[in-house]
Amino acid sequence: MHAELRRVTSAAGYSEDAGTLLILSCGAEDISTILSYLPGPHPPIDTLISILTICSIPSPQATICALITEVLKPGGQVLFYEHVLSDRKDVAWWQRFWTPLWSIVFGGCRLDCPAHRWIEDVGGWVQGEGGVWGKEGEPEEHLFWHRVGRYIKAG
Ligand SMILES: C[S@@+](CC[C@H](N)C(=O)[O-])C[C@H]1O[C@@H](n2cnc3c(N)ncnc32)[C@H](O)[C@@H]1O
């Protein structure tokens, strides 16, 4: 996706040449490398965005927790749009059933990640702001059950 990122960010006026865009080649789970590119000890990261990515990263729960606690600054926000483990037992059963085969075929993508709950469980969020929403018009029994969310880290 790096070429696409460069294309859309350039259209918005950001570029690596100008020092206004930084694209890292490491995985999201490589927190020490990410931190090594950011000014410490408190990185000025005000927004973490994940779009259909948590399903594919190794150790997703630990990675989410580390990114929020170590990389995101107080007052910063997490925005996400992910397909997640369904709240319905019957749908969740099928998601768990298909995940071993699905993840082999689709580059490690898992259908059984409760990403929205993992993010909420990190805790320390500003109460009464943000939240989690569904995808408009999406049926409940969908194997790709999406959640959209926004959380703000307490200062
Ligand atoms: C289903 S694709 C979604 C791509 C894009 N976000 C979109 O919505 O079209 C999953 C993405 O997860 C990325 N990915 C896989 N492993 C990753 C990791 N360890 N850290 C960060 N991203 C990873 C892949 O490069 C891929 O772009």
Side-chain angles (χ1 to χ4, degrees), residues 45-48 67-74 76-78 153:
I45 299 301
D46 57 21
T47 306
L48 287 174
L67 285 170
I68 292 168
T69 55
E70 295 177 45
V71 178
L72 186 66
K73 73 176 186 186
Q77 63 179 341
V78 176
K153 185 169 168 175

Side-chain angles (χ1 to χ4, degrees), residues 1 26-29 50-58 81 83 107 109:
M1 303 300 287
C26 65
E29 71 283 6
S50 179
I51 299 174
L52 302 174
T53 302
I54 293 171
C55 56
S56 300
I57 62 178
Y81 169 68
H83 64 83
C109 170

Side-chain angles (χ1 to χ4, degrees), residues 5-21:
L5 274 174
R6 286 191 178 93
R7 194 186 65 74
V8 295
T9 49
S10 153
Y14 299 95
S15 75
E16 287 156 307
D17 287 346
T20 51
L21 170 68

Side-chain angles (χ1 to χ4, degrees), residues 92-132:
W93 189 92
W94 282 107
Q95 289 175 313
R96 291 190 174 108
F97 175 84
W98 284 116
T99 285
L101 179 62
W102 182 267
S103 70
I104 291 169
V105 178
F106 292 99
C109 170
R110 302 186 63 93
L111 299 169
D112 62 351
C113 293
H116 58 314
R117 281 190 233 129
W118 289 338
I119 293 168
E120 185 180 6
D121 288 350
V122 172
W125 302 117
V126 173
Q127 297 300 310
E129 281 197 58
V132 177

